[in-house]
Amino acid sequence: MSTKERLIEAGLRLLEAEGPESLNARKLAGEIGASTMTVYTHFGGMAGLYETLVRRAFVQFGDALAAVDRTDDPVADLLALGMTYREFASANPQRYRLMFGVTAPGSGAAAANDVTEEGTPSTLPEASATFDELRRAVQRSLDAGRIHGDDAVAIAGQFWSMVHGFVLLEMSGFFGADGRGVTTVLAPHATNLLLGLGDDPAAVAGSTQAARERFGAAEASPRAEAAPGARAAPRAAGVRRGPRPGRTSGQ
Amino acid sequence: MSTKERLIEAGLRLLEAEGPESLNARKLAGEIGASTMTVYTHFGGMAGLYETLVRRAFVQFGDALAAVDRTDDPVADLLALGMTYREFASANPQRYRLMFGVTAPGSGAAAANDVTEEGTPSTLPEASATFDELRRAVQRSLDAGRIHGDDAVAIAGQFWSMVHGFVLLEMSGFFGADGRGVTTVLAPHATNLLLGLGDDPAAVAGSTQAARERFGAAEASPRAEAAPGARAAPRAAGVRRGPRPGRTSGQ
DNA sequence: GAGCTTGGCATAACTATGTTATGACTATCA
DNA sequence: TGATAGTCATAACATAGTTATGCCAAGCTC
């Protein structure tokens, strides 16, 4: 594997394993047995590396979403998409935060802006693709007459706000530790939103059940970054984890 | 004013004015004509300063939300609360990000963890108070029979997910630049959620109109952070202007 | 094949930032 | 008046991003 690729993989791994503060040039380089210079040769600096990681993460994220089956129940598909979305974020919280310019990868990241700070995802084609997956599911639900409206993008934005907000608040520790918030907050929210969009209560219940069953089955599949037990035993100890080696003066 | 207080205010000001990367000890100290040592004397380090800024920001945020009038239309109150919420976040994006452990204030912030990274808000009483404001509005809507459900906290969580997710995505540049997303995404989302919660369509429309008018009126008031852009105006430089604390009179 | 060019990379130095050690100065109090 | 505690400037140290420099191997030209 090329040095560049090894750096990227080490970066993604270190990010989740030791948190964003370990995403520094020296540690990264040490991880692959190279010098910090490689970061500059291949990425122009830490900012470039961050951007590459963000793109890569979005691709993986997009792959995970694209892997959701499309059935003849577009609303169930939409719900399954949401569950997968939340699953990915819960399993890779640091990655998710980085993707949405929401992490603190160290001082360099602040300089990395352009990518990390504000415009981050909205200008990345990889991110747009992610959103597009959602938009299509909404469009199919519209086409099927399950929900009503004239702007699939706007409706997709509502679903996105819902899941994105939930996921971040859940990561921050609101909504309880285990996946409890999913049943108390996210699922009812999705139901309410669908009802508000005009879907039939019975149909919503059916699609919810279908998505739930489908999702329980999908859990057995060996998805790479769909880390262990996101639903059953999701990191009760919280997002971080980590003795945080040798901070400050080591003392 | 005490050195400590001046550091806090300089911190909040620098944060919005120059971004999180300017929130460093030397710049901060220079801002008030002191040495970096003051940061350690008063806050124990940058981490302590961050935590103080987060608490202060939550207090200001809570004040802004508490200043929303309570009328005999609890749903309109709820919507006004949401608009105020979004307004605060849009006017003080860096502050909002910091509050939710969502900013990248430089390498120190990663160390600031404990506060900045994961548990940030969920363990801060100031943050809980914020959420409680929302919960009460939901409870009043339940009591009034406008919406149905047995768990005000869970329902409040849905509203919170909605606004939080919207606000962050809007900051990241999705949903367009001006407040356009508010009318295309956030407002319809709120309507749909209310409908899903059992409110009457006509009643929702009425409350929405009431909230809109009330908010438009409030816009004329000399609220610092009540920036223009929610409906029509662009809020080009909306990043500036800090909210003056302690305007809790209107309650 | 000899020499040149290019790209990858190690070494080491430079800069910025968090942090700490030290000591001076001031206010308060016994 | 002397002691103590708190505040804070100076200066040094550690870490992390970055850059300068040069080595070296792979091609390429002649």
Side-chain angles (χ1 to χ4, degrees):
Chain A
M1 198 188 327
S2 72
T3 300
K4 184 171 183 175
E5 192 61 26
R6 284 196 301 156
L7 271 178
I8 294 173
E9 299 204 350
L12 288 173
R13 184 165 35 78
L14 269 181
L15 179 64
E16 285 303 336
E18 305 186 18
E21 73 274 13
S22 285
L23 215 55
N24 63 65
R26 283 175 176 78
K27 190 154 200 165
L28 212 47
E31 195 75 9
I32 67 165
S35 79
T36 61
M37 194 56 211
T38 59
V39 173
Y40 296 85
T41 298
H42 292 291
F43 303 99
M46 287 304 291
L49 176 61
Y50 290 140
E51 176 175 342
T52 303
L53 292 183
V54 168
R55 288 178 188 271
R56 176 66 57 94
F58 264 113
V59 169
Q60 294 178 346
F61 190 35
D63 286 349
L65 296 183
V68 174
D69 290 332
R70 299 178 180 189
T71 68
D72 56 354
D73 182 344
V75 171
D77 295 351
L78 191 55
L79 293 172
L81 207 56
M83 290 189 196
T84 304
Y85 188 112
R86 181 261 169 190
E87 200 71 2
F88 183 95
S90 291
N92 312 282
Q94 304 294 358
R95 202 169 303 191
Y96 188 81
R97 295 178 104 116
L98 182 66
M99 285 163 59
F100 286 94
V102 142
T103 192
S107 58
N113 293 343
D114 295 324
V115 166
T116 306
E117 191 170 5
E118 65 165 348
T120 306
S122 66
T123 57
L124 291 179
E126 292 88 345
S128 308
T130 297
F131 178 70
D132 213 51
E133 197 72 38
L134 179 58
R135 186 194 56 73
R136 276 195 297 272
V138 167
Q139 185 63 60
R140 287 192 300 126
S141 295
L142 283 168
D143 294 343
R146 287 288 299 273
I147 61 178
H148 309 302
D150 54 356
D151 186 352
V153 171
I155 296 174
Q158 298 173 37
F159 277 96
W160 200 9
S161 295
M162 173 181 75
V163 184
H164 184 61
F166 173 83
V167 154
L168 289 177
L169 289 175
E170 188 187 26
M171 281 181 198
S172 290
F174 304 97
F175 305 155
D178 343 334
R180 193 149 37 90
V182 175
T183 52
T184 63
V185 176
L186 181 58
H189 191 168
T191 297
N192 290 328
L193 180 52
L194 286 169
L195 291 176
L197 286 167
D199 200 5
D200 182 71
V204 170
S207 295
T208 301
Q209 183 60 23
R212 208 187 305 271
E213 283 169 7
R214 201 206 304 185
F215 196 68
E219 222 166 341
S221 86
R223 180 93 44 76
E225 63 280 6
R231 200 175 57 181
R235 97 199 61 274
V239 168
R240 283 247 46 266
R241 208 57 249 144
R244 194 180 354 271
R247 234 172 44 63
T248 63
S249 55
Q251 241 64 359
Chain B
M1 198 188 326
S2 72
T3 299
K4 184 171 183 176
E5 192 61 27
R6 284 195 300 155
L7 271 178
I8 294 173
E9 298 206 350
L12 288 174
R13 183 165 37 77
L14 269 182
L15 179 63
E16 286 302 338
E18 305 186 18
E21 72 274 14
S22 284
L23 216 54
N24 64 66
R26 282 174 177 78
K27 191 154 201 165
L28 212 47
E31 196 75 9
I32 68 166
S35 78
T36 62
M37 193 57 211
T38 58
V39 173
Y40 296 86
T41 298
H42 293 289
F43 303 99
M46 287 303 292
L49 176 61
Y50 290 140
E51 175 174 344
T52 303
L53 291 182
V54 167
R55 288 179 189 271
R56 176 65 57 92
F58 264 113
V59 169
Q60 295 177 347
F61 190 35
D63 286 349
L65 295 183
V68 174
D69 291 332
R70 298 178 181 188
T71 68
D72 56 355
D73 182 344
V75 171
D77 295 351
L78 191 56
L79 294 172
L81 206 57
M83 291 189 195
T84 304
Y85 188 111
R86 181 261 170 189
E87 201 68 5
F88 183 95
S90 291
N92 311 282
Q94 304 294 357
R95 202 170 302 190
Y96 188 81
R97 294 178 105 116
L98 183 66
M99 285 162 61
F100 287 94
V102 143
T103 193
S107 58
N113 294 342
D114 297 325
V115 166
T116 305
E117 193 167 3
E118 65 157 352
T120 306
S122 66
T123 57
L124 290 180
E126 292 89 344
S128 307
T130 297
F131 177 71
D132 213 51
E133 195 72 39
L134 178 59
R135 187 194 55 74
R136 277 195 296 272
V138 167
Q139 185 63 60
R140 287 192 299 126
S141 296
L142 283 168
D143 293 343
R146 288 286 299 271
I147 61 177
H148 310 301
D150 53 357
D151 187 352
V153 171
I155 296 174
Q158 299 173 37
F159 277 98
W160 200 9
S161 296
M162 172 181 75
V163 185
H164 184 62
F166 173 83
V167 153
L168 288 177
L169 289 176
E170 189 187 26
M171 280 181 199
S172 291
F174 303 95
F175 304 158
D178 342 336
R180 195 149 37 91
V182 175
T183 51
T184 62
V185 176
L186 181 58
H189 191 168
T191 297
N192 290 329
L193 181 52
L194 286 168
L195 291 177
L197 286 166
D199 198 6
D200 183 71
V204 171
S207 294
T208 300
Q209 184 59 24
R212 208 188 302 270
E213 284 169 8
R214 202 204 305 183
F215 198 68
E219 227 167 331
S221 82
R223 176 97 49 78
E225 68 280 8
R231 281 210 322 275
R235 175 181 52 82
V239 165
R240 303 221 76 259
R241 297 306 314 178
R244 295 281 66 92
R247 54 171 321 290
T248 47
S249 52
Q251 175 157 246

